[in-house]
Amino acid sequence: MRRREEEGADLSSMGNCKSSSRALLGKAHVVPDAEWRMQDFGKTHVPDLEWRIHDFSSLLETGAKAATSATFHCSGYNWQLQVIPMHKETGSETPYVALRLMTSPERMVPGHTMHVVFELSIYNHSKGMHCGCKASYNFHFKNSYSKEHCLIPLQELLKSSAFLVDDSCVFGVDILKIDVSSPEKKAVVVQKKATTVQNLFVQKKEFVKGTYTWNVNNFLELDTDNFVRSPTFEVGEHKWYVGMYPHGDKYSTDCLSLYLCLDASDELRLDLDASDELRLDSKKVFIMTLSILDQKNGKHLTATSGLWVCNKGCGWGWPNFFGLKKLKEPSGGYVVGSSCIVKADLTIIGSSNDG
């Protein structure tokens, strides 16, 4: 399970819905200010992941607050890189392109901390090297995403012929050191291998959209511990379903956990079609919105994700979607009698493949 924060909520990517059913070098952070200059960048190592975002202007036009890469693997852990194209630091009005690193907490034990040293970078085509910042972060069971690290003002990037070429830019992350704080005091050897290359393509128009409404008639009678799923529905040639933990999963705190999942039968179909080069090499990129409908006042509870790559065997959502106490308040209208209505809106906005 991978976790990160989107629009004020913890957004998680479930790694196995079927079974769980469920800096400148030497500086920790580039501080944005009006005196930012290109020379603030430091040279970084060759990254473990090189993420090429094509049609960067189209990414901005979607209005998505963030875009997240597909998973890459390093030293026995699963990682993802996230780009926040219009990040603003507290007290600043200047939008920056920022990056952050995320890991899957599936192998992490409550009470254990994983201290990771890494580099976040953007590729300078003129100099032929990755430039960026060195950072570190303590990941743990309920916090598997680092803080955002500003790399370059958005307007500087859009004007640059060094970092933006043919409306495309390349971001990177390199894992330098991993220390696990646990009773065993286990050290992790960072194994270097060839760079993983991924491409993200954002469509300019003709998005595929779909909506599904799930009326959970027996919400108050649902088992408190089990994962509950809706009937399947199809969007963008994939079968999906909405799933929930009515009283929260192990990553939540007194909250409803709500997810959008890729159906297992769809995964089988993808495997059977693996001989088709397009299906093998290309993954859908999507934005989703999950809502609990207010049946009395019309004040629906809604959360919208950033851009995600559709990997088979995964689901995406919020462990802490909404507090259980407020959810069940009669005046709120979210649970009427024993009925709770969940709505999923899904938009396919592009594709991703390995380079």
Side-chain angles (χ1 to χ4, degrees):
M1 179 154 320
R2 297 178 296 276
R3 300 163 60 80
R4 70 275 304 157
E5 188 171 312
E6 291 275 355
E7 301 189 19
D10 288 339
L11 177 61
S12 171
S13 172
M14 298 173 62
N16 188 349
C17 279
K18 296 179 296 180
S19 61
S20 62
S21 321
R22 197 218 120 133
L24 298 181
L25 291 177
K27 294 185 179 180
H29 185 55
V30 178
V31 179
D33 56 44
E35 300 302 320
W36 182 91
R37 295 292 184 270
M38 288 288 183
Q39 60 262 31
D40 285 348
F41 277 121
K43 181 180 180 181
T44 67
H45 299 84
V46 175
D48 290 307
L49 171 70
E50 188 175 271
W51 193 24
R52 301 170 180 171
I53 298 184
H54 304 261
D55 310 309
F56 188 78
S57 61
S58 296
L59 170 62
L60 296 177
E61 289 171 5
T62 67
K65 290 192 174 183
T68 305
S69 74
T71 300
F72 69 99
H73 309 283
C74 179
S75 303
Y77 290 90
N78 295 332
W79 309 87
Q80 290 172 291
L81 180 62
Q82 188 176 82
V83 174
I84 304 94
M86 294 177 283
H87 176 70
K88 291 183 180 180
E89 291 282 304
T90 302
S92 172
E93 292 300 318
T94 302
Y96 271 70
V97 178
L99 300 181
R100 65 177 170 187
L101 177 66
M102 288 161 286
T103 187
S104 168
E106 290 175 324
R107 293 188 56 196
M108 301 179 72
V109 178
H112 292 192
T113 299
M114 183 167 63
H115 179 74
V116 182
V117 180
F118 53 95
E119 290 178 339
L120 300 169
S121 62
I122 182 172
Y123 189 71
N124 187 319
H125 292 268
S126 297
K127 296 184 178 180
M129 65 183 187
H130 287 269
C131 305
C133 62
K134 185 176 181 180
S136 64
Y137 197 75
N138 292 325
F139 296 93
H140 55 82
F141 181 68
K142 287 195 174 184
N143 192 1
S144 55
Y145 47 87
S146 76
K147 69 177 296 184
E148 302 93 341
H149 291 265
C150 296
L151 288 189
I152 182 172
L154 176 60
Q155 294 306 314
E156 294 286 348
L157 175 63
L158 295 177
K159 294 186 297 183
S160 172
S161 60
F163 297 107
L164 189 67
V165 177
D166 295 330
D167 201 23
S168 300
C169 48
V170 181
F171 299 100
V173 58
D174 188 33
I175 311 294
L176 302 178
K177 184 179 180 181
I178 302 173
D179 290 318
V180 179
S181 174
S182 66
E184 299 81 16
K185 302 289 185 182
K186 182 180 178 181
V188 177
V189 177
V190 177
Q191 301 170 344
K192 305 309 292 182
K193 59 179 183 179
T195 299
T196 297
V197 178
Q198 297 178 10
N199 294 283
L200 174 67
F201 302 92
V202 182
Q203 297 172 200
K204 292 180 171 61
K205 57 182 180 178
E206 298 180 355
F207 297 150
V208 176
K209 297 184 178 182
T211 297
Y212 178 76
T213 301
W214 178 27
N215 194 333
V216 188
N217 292 313
N218 60 336
F219 179 79
L220 294 179
E221 288 78 48
L222 294 174
D223 190 292
T224 59
D225 297 321
N226 289 343
F227 182 80
V228 183
R229 54 172 289 172
S230 74
T232 59
F233 59 96
E234 187 166 324
V235 178
E237 300 180 353
H238 289 310
K239 293 181 179 179
W240 310 80
Y241 64 89
V242 178
M244 69 164 68
Y245 287 88
H247 287 250
D249 61 16
K250 63 182 180 180
Y251 299 97
S252 69
T253 305
D254 298 324
C255 290
L256 171 77
S257 300
L258 197 60
Y259 298 95
L260 176 72
C261 304
L262 188 64
D263 187 69
S265 62
D266 192 74
E267 297 169 29
L268 177 61
R269 178 164 62 89
L270 286 173
D271 288 338
L272 293 174
D273 290 343
S275 59
D276 186 330
E277 184 177 352
L278 289 177
R279 285 198 180 276
L280 180 64
D281 292 340
S282 182
K283 305 179 183 72
K284 297 290 195 303
V285 175
F286 68 92
I287 297 175
M288 68 163 179
T289 296
L290 295 181
S291 305
I292 302 290
L293 301 189
D294 183 340
Q295 303 173 59
K296 292 183 177 180
N297 312 302
K299 298 179 180 179
H300 308 316
L301 177 66
T302 298
T304 300
S305 74
L307 274 65
W308 286 88
V309 178
C310 177
N311 292 316
K312 67 177 184 177
C314 285
W316 304 262
W318 290 265
N320 293 292
F321 187 83
F322 193 53
L324 292 172
K325 184 177 179 180
K326 290 186 177 181
L327 178 69
K328 297 177 181 180
E329 286 181 354
S331 62
Y334 300 115
V335 179
V336 176
S338 190
S339 171
C340 179
I341 301 176
V342 181
K343 183 169 175 282
D345 295 284
L346 182 64
T347 303
I348 308 297
I349 59 91
S351 62
S352 173
N353 62 31
D354 298 333

